[in-house]
Amino acid sequence: MSWLPDDFVHPVHVPVPGTALHLRPIREADTPLDYPAVMGSRERLWEIFGPAWAWPKETMTYEEDRIDLLRHEKEIAAHQSFNYALLDEGETAIFGCVYVDPPERAGADAEVCWWVVDDLVGGEAERALDAFVPQWIAAEWPFRQPRYLGRDITWQDWLSLPRAV
């Protein structure tokens, strides 16, 4: 049984209100934009995602990032999980990502988390994304009990939950 209804169509272009930014599914071709975004914020991202995902490693190469984005692109096509890039209007830079995943831990029907590059931390774009993502998930996705990692539960508390069956 899939974690999404068979007829679900995932959003492909999602404007973030109050910004000139939008979300769209990430793809392998985004590596030239993704790699500098991730590695430019790597230390902070490791503090957030390192304990759970061992990502992004200090030694991550461009080729490893490309392979990771190709995996994400294939997972999106198969509706296994979703990674949305946060992009400017001309898609000349990635400013963060939003992940919508099937639950790894019990008690939710989806797990959602997101990040922005260091330059946007604490600013209007991050506040807009923080406000928008839960509204978007409620309006556009078929979940009854999404869990917002690092928001409504700490990563440490999430890691202590039993694995989803």
Side-chain angles (χ1 to χ4, degrees):
M1 181 174 181
S2 173
W3 71 298
L4 293 167
D6 289 340
D7 62 350
F8 177 72
V9 177
H10 65 274
V12 295
H13 186 274
V14 184
V16 178
T19 74
L21 304 173
H22 65 276
L23 298 169
R24 76 145 164 78
I26 204 159
R27 40 191 188 238
E28 179 187 11
D30 293 325
T31 307
L33 305 178
D34 186 67
Y35 188 73
V38 169
M39 296 310 282
S41 301
R42 197 208 68 79
E43 288 183 24
R44 184 177 53 83
L45 294 177
W46 181 264
E47 289 176 14
I48 298 166
F49 300 108
W53 296 351
W55 178 87
K57 293 179 182 165
E58 188 174 3
T59 58
M60 184 175 76
T61 66
Y62 183 91
E63 179 64 9
E64 288 169 328
D65 191 42
R66 186 194 65 75
I67 291 167
D68 197 36
L69 294 190
L70 177 60
R71 177 180 56 83
H72 285 306
E73 186 174 358
K74 290 177 178 180
E75 289 170 344
I76 293 164
H79 276 194
Q80 294 171 336
S81 69
F82 298 86
N83 177 346
Y84 282 83
L86 180 65
L87 297 144
D88 61 342
E89 197 171 298
E91 298 196 354
T92 62
I94 287 180
F95 294 97
C97 285
V98 177
Y99 307 97
V100 182
D101 296 317
E104 285 185 39
R105 306 291 174 168
D109 58 358
E111 293 174 339
V112 181
C113 59
W114 61 93
W115 59 271
V116 296
V117 295
D118 286 356
D119 288 348
L120 297 186
V121 171
E124 288 181 33
E126 183 183 42
R127 285 191 294 276
L129 190 66
D130 289 351
F132 174 68
V133 170
Q135 295 170 359
W136 174 55
I137 296 296
E140 300 292 327
W141 294 80
F143 306 127
R144 283 181 258 124
Q145 197 173 7
R147 178 182 292 132
Y148 298 98
L149 303 178
R151 310 293 170 156
D152 62 6
I153 186 172
T154 67
W155 284 91
Q156 185 174 2
D157 287 346
W158 176 77
L159 285 169
S160 69
L161 292 173
R163 291 217 168 259
V165 178

